[in-house]
Amino acid sequence: MKHIHTIPSIGIVANPASGRDIRRLTSKALVFPTVEKINMIERLLGAFGAVGVEHVMMMPDMVGIAAGLIRAIDGHRAQGLQPWPVVDFVPMPLTDSPRDTQEAVRRMRAAGVAVIVVLGGDGTHRIVAGECGDTPLATLSSGTNNAFPDLREPTLTGLAAGLVATGAVPVSEAARRNKLLRVRGSKVDEIALVDVCVTRQMHLGARAVWDPATIAELFVTFAEPDAIGLSSIAAMLEPVGREAPRGSWVRCATSGLGVLAPIAPGLVTPVGIDEHGLLAPGRPMQIRTEQGCIALDGEREIELNGHQTYSVTLELDGPLTLDVPATLAAAVRRGAMVRDLIRSAAP
Amino acid sequence: MTKTLTREDLLKAYRTMRTIREFEERLHTDFATGEIPGFVHLYAGEEASATGVCMNLTADDHIASTHRGHGHCIAKGVDPVGMMAEIWGKKTGTCKGKGGSMHIADLSVGMLGANGIVGGGGPLVCGTALAAKLRNQPFVSVCFFGDGASNQGTIFEAMNLASVWNLPVIFLAENNGYAEATSSKFSVACDNIADRASAFGMPGITVDGFDFFAVYEAAGAAIDRARNGGGPSLVEVKLSRYYGHFEGDQQTYRAAGEVQNIRDTKDCLMQFAHRVTSSGEIAQAELDAIDAEVKALIDGSVVKAKSDPKPTEADLLTDVYVSY
């Protein structure tokens, strides 16, 4: 039988590896340091405490986020400031790999957390989405090159997550359903939340797709002209909204006409286009490229050696994510932000 | 721009990594006999780092190495036969047998030297990089250093200098998790050395040091950036050493099975061989042939080193100063 928390509980996943890839050398993205991630979690905890969240399940790690957070909690407590929720680290073995994120999310879900807050990039959210089921995610970009998570002040994301966790705002008013792309091969079944990019680069190498000249094919769940990254290539051809029941695909060319796309911070470059079209849900499209790599949400994950075929299918039943503006607006409508200052100040 | 690795590049990368591994494994065995003078600090396990970096360099580019420098030397093109003689303290060695393991240098291939001073390489590469810049030469300099050196003032000073002078330097932090016997978890305040780059106004990235392809690509981007005038950067390579800080180190600070687990699951040579054979780029027989050739080379280097003459008393007063 599952152990379900009876007090409002929120999970936090912070990817220790995000914000440090090769794009800091090939574009103007900057390193996203561990101390900044810890500080973002402190801002979340402040918001959680203010709206009555009593318990947090935090993913542990080997590179300093957990250690820094323990120091921050001790310092906060010593100063006698507004209480934060109790933070428990998920008891689990660590591998210092994406498997840690998968395991942490599995355990948070089994414990019945109301919301999982994710700090990371598109790739981190992809890994969480593979395990979270219908537990809603509150997304936060810890990096500068992401389309899926919100680039938002964490205090506000924390408020929205806290209001949902405490029941002040129902999930039905707070969350929206996302799309996903499923990549299938004979031994492969993977998902992506924003884009599947087929690159002519032969090896997984430094993982991130950073050179537009190597892009052969692109499939996207949504394409917003004001989003940074690979999906912007599709967006500049034909925008597709996050909630539209379709995606799109592009086959790139090295000559001829192209579009100007902001594929990385400070890097706006023309990308040649051969053909493009819309992606209908449930209808697989074959990947044509035989030699290269398949990148999921911007990171090369599968090497193509010409011996296997792969398809990409748009699915409409991806993860739930909190719409922070909608959640906070609902909280105001419901009077959830009103406090009795005299009673609050009483000893 | 993405660089494509040719078959010849892949074979060269494998040969370099295998040469370093064979060299170090042989030293591990031979040092235990007590015949080799001085200390050796072995680079086994870290081969993808030196190889992935140095395959982006030319002989006119410079590197500064560390006390764990054999891998950097081999990857930069120093002759392993001369190196083995040097470590055995013989007159035929790279530095005529008077430097030993921690002072192997060969300026003819741009190798400024292994270095017994932890963090000593930073100021050296600022010098070579400044020279290249003042001469309008497209040459870069790479400073290899470890997680222990990452806490040294010399590295901070060098990063500051490289940044304010926009020097073509790559600070290449090989984070193997231990400074001698102290875990970096206790001694490196920010855990990720790459995080420190932003304090000096330069980009910093972290890369998997067990994966040659990852290091090659990331270091290539940093080197191209520096060569084109983009300035310095910090590349943190996360990896592990297979042996102790020095030969004889009992490694009581490491968990039981830690190294074996890495050898079994992450080894850079194992990963490389799997990748290039499964993609069909290289046949296993070609890798086997390289293994045999490298073994013969290292066996021969040891035989020669053992029989070569030692420096004489008269050699003590030569090569002490360099005339400019």
Side-chain angles (χ1 to χ4, degrees):
Chain A
M1 186 177 167
K2 285 183 187 173
H3 171 65
I4 305 291
H5 283 279
T6 52
I7 55 172
S9 185
I10 293 179
I12 300 178
V13 170
N15 179 2
S18 69
R20 290 195 179 81
D21 67 44
I22 191 171
R23 285 171 291 194
R24 270 119 280 270
L25 293 168
T26 57
S27 75
K28 297 301 178 188
L30 270 181
V31 69
F32 203 96
T34 299
V35 290
E36 176 65 13
K37 293 174 187 172
I38 296 166
N39 184 259
M40 288 172 73
I41 297 168
E42 292 180 60
R43 283 132 83 185
L44 287 171
L45 294 177
F48 293 167
V51 295
V53 176
E54 296 178 28
H55 183 252
V56 164
M57 288 184 78
M58 176 77 205
M59 183 179 93
D61 69 280
M62 297 167 78
V63 293
I65 295 178
L69 188 57
I70 289 169
R71 287 195 293 272
I73 291 169
D74 287 347
H76 185 83
R77 191 180 294 139
Q79 293 174 80
L81 301 172
Q82 183 185 43
W84 284 350
V86 172
V87 177
D88 285 330
F89 289 90
V90 179
M92 53 180 266
L94 290 173
T95 61
D96 204 15
S97 75
R99 290 195 298 277
D100 294 343
T101 298
Q102 293 172 321
E103 182 62 23
V105 174
R106 276 195 288 270
R107 294 186 185 219
M108 289 174 189
R109 192 178 162 196
V113 298
V115 179
I116 298 174
V117 184
V118 186
L119 283 74
D122 292 342
T124 310
H125 286 80
R126 176 179 71 82
I127 292 164
V128 173
E131 302 292 340
C132 70
D134 263 349
T135 306
L137 307 179
T139 68
L140 275 172
S141 173
S142 63
T144 50
N145 205 52
N146 303 306
F148 187 80
D150 289 350
L151 192 57
R152 190 183 299 284
E153 164 54 39
T155 312
L156 302 173
T157 305
L159 275 179
L163 290 162
V164 170
T166 54
V169 178
V171 173
S172 58
E173 285 186 40
R176 67 183 177 191
R177 180 70 68 183
N178 292 269
K179 295 173 275 186
L180 60 81
L181 294 165
R182 190 169 295 280
V183 178
R184 284 202 178 90
S186 61
K187 295 177 184 169
V188 169
D189 187 351
E190 297 279 355
I191 62 167
L193 296 175
V194 182
D195 52 63
V196 172
C197 174
V198 186
T199 159
R200 281 183 282 269
Q201 284 180 285
M202 285 291 290
H203 301 282
L204 301 184
R207 299 276 178 168
V209 177
W210 55 272
D211 184 354
T214 66
I215 299 172
E217 300 174 67
L218 181 66
F219 305 83
V220 300
T221 53
F222 62 90
E224 296 174 324
D226 64 337
I228 191 100
L230 300 175
S231 69
S232 69
I233 299 169
M236 297 310 173
L237 290 161
E238 183 173 358
V240 175
R242 282 181 86 128
E243 298 185 22
R246 59 190 165 277
S248 69
W249 58 269
V250 179
R251 293 204 173 93
C252 295
T254 51
S255 59
L257 283 178
V259 290
L260 204 55
I263 64 160
L267 186 60
V268 183
T269 186
V271 180
I273 305 297
D274 182 17
E275 53 181 338
H276 66 99
L278 293 174
L279 204 54
R283 297 170 70 174
M285 267 191 85
Q286 295 297 312
I287 286 175
R288 289 186 182 177
T289 310
E290 293 188 345
Q291 300 284 333
C293 289
I294 299 174
L296 306 173
D297 289 328
E299 293 186 4
R300 284 166 270 167
E301 296 286 349
I302 302 162
E303 289 184 349
L304 299 170
N305 55 23
H307 303 315
Q308 292 186 37
T309 58
Y310 295 89
S311 67
V312 181
T313 310
L314 178 72
E315 297 181 2
L316 302 181
D317 57 347
L320 289 171
T321 52
L322 296 190
D323 180 332
V324 173
T327 306
L328 295 179
V332 173
R333 278 198 308 275
R334 288 165 170 270
M337 305 307 283
V338 177
R339 292 292 184 276
D340 183 340
L341 296 188
I342 297 171
R343 189 175 297 169
S344 299
Chain B
M1 189 64 77
T2 301
K3 293 180 222 171
T4 303
L5 286 159
T6 63
R7 257 179 57 78
E8 288 65 37
D9 292 333
L10 295 173
L11 291 168
K12 180 183 175 188
Y14 183 79
R15 182 182 295 275
T16 303
M17 290 196 290
R18 177 58 71 192
T19 303
I20 298 170
R21 178 66 56 85
E22 191 72 27
F23 192 92
E24 299 294 63
E25 297 281 13
R26 184 61 188 260
L27 275 175
H28 172 69
T29 304
D30 289 352
F31 193 83
T33 67
E35 295 175 88
I36 297 175
F39 265 133
V40 289
H41 306 80
L42 302 184
Y43 192 76
E46 304 185 7
E47 294 85 351
S49 175
T51 307
V53 172
C54 291
M55 277 193 62
N56 284 287
L57 300 176
T58 71
D60 292 317
D61 296 319
H62 287 96
I63 68 168
S65 177
T66 70
H67 54 283
R68 198 174 308 287
H70 304 162
H72 305 140
C73 291
I74 291 171
K76 194 65 173 67
V78 182
D79 173 28
V81 177
M83 286 174 57
M84 190 64 84
E86 183 63 36
I87 292 166
W88 281 78
K90 299 303 177 72
K91 196 168 180 171
T92 53
T94 313
C95 301
K96 303 181 186 175
K98 294 186 280 188
S101 167
M102 271 186 281
H103 303 94
I104 300 174
D106 185 349
L107 297 184
S108 70
V109 295
M111 169 62 192
L112 294 172
N115 201 322
I117 309 296
V118 172
L124 297 180
V125 296
C126 284
T128 51
L130 178 63
K133 182 169 179 168
L134 292 176
R135 291 169 178 159
N136 283 320
Q137 294 170 326
F139 307 142
V140 304
S141 298
V142 178
C143 171
F144 289 95
F145 64 102
D147 43 286
S150 78
N151 294 331
Q152 295 293 312
T154 46
I155 292 296
F156 296 145
E157 292 170 39
M159 287 175 71
N160 185 64
L161 196 62
S163 190
V164 296
W165 285 350
N166 202 39
L167 298 177
V169 172
I170 292 85
F171 293 92
L172 203 296
E174 293 183 319
N175 185 351
N176 66 21
Y178 299 98
E180 297 196 0
T182 304
S183 167
S184 59
K185 296 191 188 314
F186 299 115
S187 57
V188 182
C190 61
D191 288 279
N192 287 292
I193 296 166
D195 287 11
R196 292 180 171 167
S198 57
F200 297 98
M202 64 175 77
I205 67 161
T206 300
V207 65
D208 177 2
F210 297 103
D211 183 347
F212 163 80
F213 296 102
V215 177
Y216 175 79
E217 188 177 333
I223 289 165
D224 287 351
R225 183 178 180 278
R227 206 184 292 288
N228 294 330
S233 56
L234 170 59
V235 178
E236 178 185 12
V237 182
K238 299 218 174 193
L239 34 64
S240 188
R241 56 170 150 84
Y242 284 174
Y243 294 109
H245 168 63
F246 56 87
E247 281 307 278
D249 176 2
Q250 295 301 306
Q251 301 186 75
T252 53
Y253 49 88
R254 299 184 92 166
E258 178 183 315
V259 172
Q260 192 58 50
N261 181 46
I262 292 168
R263 279 186 185 261
D264 293 343
T265 60
K266 294 184 174 178
D267 182 76
C268 60
L269 280 152
M270 178 184 76
Q271 285 198 57
F272 184 93
H274 174 72
R275 290 262 181 86
V276 297
T277 54
S278 60
S279 68
E281 290 164 283
I282 306 288
Q284 183 60 49
E286 293 176 279
L287 301 182
D288 293 343
I290 290 175
D291 290 352
E293 289 167 22
V294 168
K295 185 170 187 317
L297 172 75
I298 301 302
D299 284 348
S301 75
V302 175
V303 170
K304 184 170 183 306
K306 284 183 174 178
S307 60
D308 279 349
K310 291 182 178 175
T312 64
E313 211 171 293
D315 294 320
L316 281 173
L317 298 178
T318 61
D319 306 317
V320 178
Y321 295 103
V322 174
S323 298
Y324 291 97

